[in-house]
Amino acid sequence: MEQVGLFPVLAVSAALFLLGVIGVLTRRNILIVLMSVELMLNAVNLSFVAFARHHGTLDGHVFAVFVMAVAAAEAGVGLALVILLYRNRHKVDLDDLNLLKG
Amino acid sequence: MSPLTPPPVLVPEGLSQDLAAFAPAFVIFGAALIILLWEAVVRPADKRVFMGFSLTAILVALGLNVGVAVEDRLGFSGMVSFDAYSVFFNSVFLISAALSTLLSHDYLERVGVRIGEYYSLVLFGLFGMMLLGMGADLMLLFVGIEVMSIAFYCLSAIKRTDARGIESGFKYFIMGAFASGILLYGVSFVYGATGTTSLQGIRAAIEGGVHGGMLGLGVAFIIAGFLFKIAAVPFHMWAPDVYEGAPASVTGYMATGVKAASFAAFGRVLFVAFLGLKDDWAAPLMVIAAVTMLLGNLVALVQDDLKRMLAYSSIAHAGYMLMALVAVDAESVGLNGQVSGLLFYLLAYTFMNLGAFAVLTLMAGDRDDLTSIKGLAGLSTRNPAVAAGLALCLFSLAGIPPTMGFVGKFYLFAAAVRADYVGLAVIAALSGAIGVYYYLRPIVVMFMQEGGEPLSIRPTAASVGALAIASAAILYFGLFPSQLIELCQAGVLSLVG
C-alpha cells in the first residue's frame, strides 16, 4: 500500500491550525470560538502523529493522547463558563463581554 | 509455572527516591482531593476548616521541600528534574499559595462566596505550578501549564453571580487555550526537528547540529506561548481585564504564583534546551522586555483603581524579569550571575504584591470589589498598621531602599549592565522612575488626605497576618539579602550543572 509522505500531512495540519487561528480571531459567537480552539489542538495532534511516524518513536503518539485528555478537560471548563455567561446575560456573543475594558 | 502466576512487577530503578523527592507535590495533590471529597460529603457550614487544612498541607509540603535534602537528579524516566532550581521555585509557589489562602477566607465570606472547592482549586493550581517548576520534558511542562491554568479559569469565575468575574474567567480561558494551542504547535515542530521532547535531548540535538526553519519556527511559537502566560507585550491584553474582574484573593495568587511558575518553566526551557540558539532569541526578547516595562508603567500611571493599577504594574514587572532572561552569557558562569536575579525578584514580587493584595481584600465592600485609590483617604488615622503595611509593599514595588524590591531591582539592573545591555538597563531605570510616581500616589492619599467618603476597612486577623508576614519578609530580606542570594545562585547553577 502506498504511504502518504510527511509533508502532505503537515500541510493539512498547518491549514487546520490556520483555520482555527482565524476562527478564534474573527468569529464573534463564543461557541464557534471554542470549536476553533479545538480545531487548533487537533491540528497539533495531527502534526505530532505525523512526526512520530516520521521518527519512528512513540513520544509523539503519547503527546497526542495527552493533548486529547487536556482538551477534554478544557472543553468541560469552557462549556461550564459559557453556561454561566448565558445564565447571566442570555446571550453568547464575544461583543457582549464589555464590562472590563482592556 | 502455572498460567495463573502474575508477571513479575518491574520496578524502575530509583523509584523510591523519585517518590520521596516528589513528596511535596503528592501532599498538595492529596490535600486537594481530600478537600473535594470533604466538601461533597460533609459540606461543613464553616469553611474556615478548609483554610486551616490547606495551610497545614502547604506548610507540611514546604517543610518536606526545604527539609529533605535531594541530590540533583532526573526522576521518573527523565520527566522530572529534582535540583536546587526546582526546590527554590517550589518554595516560592508554596509561599504564594500559603499567603493567598491566609487572606482568602474572610474576603470570600464578605463577598458572599461560600464554596469549599475554592481551596481545592487553589491546591490544584499549586500542584500545576510545582509540575512547571520541576518538569524536564515538554510533555510534563504542557500538563503542568494546563493543570495550573484550568484551576485558575475556575477560580476567576468562582463567584457565579458576578458578571465581571465570569467575564474575566471566560476571557482568561479563551486567551489561555489559544496560547496553549500556539505553544503546542511549537512543541510539535521542535519534536519534529529534534525527535525528542526532553529538554536535555533537545539541547543535545541542537549541539549536534540540528538547525533550520522548522526548529526556529518551533522555538518562536514556544516563546510566544510563554510570553502569553507571563503577560508580556504584545500578548498582554488579557491581563488587566482578568486581573480586575477576578476576586482580589485570586488576582493576588494569579499575579504572583502563575507568573513565577511560567517564568520557572520559561527559564528552564530557554537555558536547558535552547541555550545554543541564544543569539537568535535574545534580541527579540530584549525589545519585548523594554516595550513591556515601558507600556506597563505608562498605562499604570493613569489608573484610578488600585487593582487595575497593580495589574498594569504586574505587566511592567514581567518586563523587568524578562530582562534577566535576556542578560545572559552563553557561558555558564554568566548564567549564574545574571539569572539568579530573576529568582530573587520573583520571591520579592510574591511578598510585596501579595502584601498589597491583602489590603485590597480588606477594602472589598459587601457586594463588589471597591478598590478605588480615593477610598484610601485617611486610612493612616483609621488603621495606621494597615496603612504602614501597604506603604511598605508599595515602596518595595517601587524599588525604594531598604526593601526587598530595591535589592531585587538593583540585582537585575546590575546584571544587565554587566552583560553589556546598558541601553536596556537605562530603559528599565527610566520606566522604574515612572513607576515611583504611581506607587507613591496611594501613599500620599493614605497619609495626607482626609477622606470624603472613605471605604469601610475592617481588618481581620488572617489578612493582617498575611500582610504582617509579607512586610516582615520584605524588610528582613531587604536588609539581609546575602543568604537568599546564595540560594538563588545555587538554584541557577543546578540548572546548567
Side-chain angles (χ1 to χ4, degrees), chain A residues 29-95:
Chain A
N29 187 304
I30 282 173
L31 290 171
I32 294 183
V33 170
L34 273 183
M35 284 187 241
S36 304
V37 168
E38 295 293 313
L39 201 58
M40 286 170 68
L41 293 180
N42 283 317
V44 168
N45 280 344
L46 192 58
S47 148
F48 267 121
V49 173
F51 281 127
R53 204 182 63 169
H54 174 71
H55 287 300
T57 55
L58 275 177
D59 299 14
H61 296 290
V62 175
F63 214 128
V65 173
F66 270 102
V67 173
M68 278 186 237
V70 166
E74 249 182 16
V77 171
L79 289 174
L81 284 170
V82 172
I83 291 174
L84 268 184
L85 266 180
Y86 182 75
R87 279 198 191 144
N88 225 277
R89 312 192 184 172
H90 302 284
K91 256 193 229 165
V92 281
D93 199 290
L94 276 186
D95 292 330

Side-chain angles (χ1 to χ4, degrees), chain A residues 14 30 47 55 57 60 74 101, chain B residues 146 167 170 185 188 191-192 308:
Chain A
I30 282 173
S47 148
H55 287 300
T57 55
E74 249 182 16
K101 289 254 163 62
Chain B
E146 290 303 320
E167 184 175 324
F170 194 80
Y185 204 43
S188 85
Y191 170 65
R308 209 166 166 86

Side-chain angles (χ1 to χ4, degrees), chain A residues 10 47 51, chain B residues 185-194 214-215 217-218 221:
Chain A
L10 285 186
S47 148
F51 281 127
Chain B
Y185 204 43
V187 172
S188 85
F189 279 154
V190 169
Y191 170 65
T194 63
M214 192 185 282
L215 181 66
L217 206 58
F221 276 22

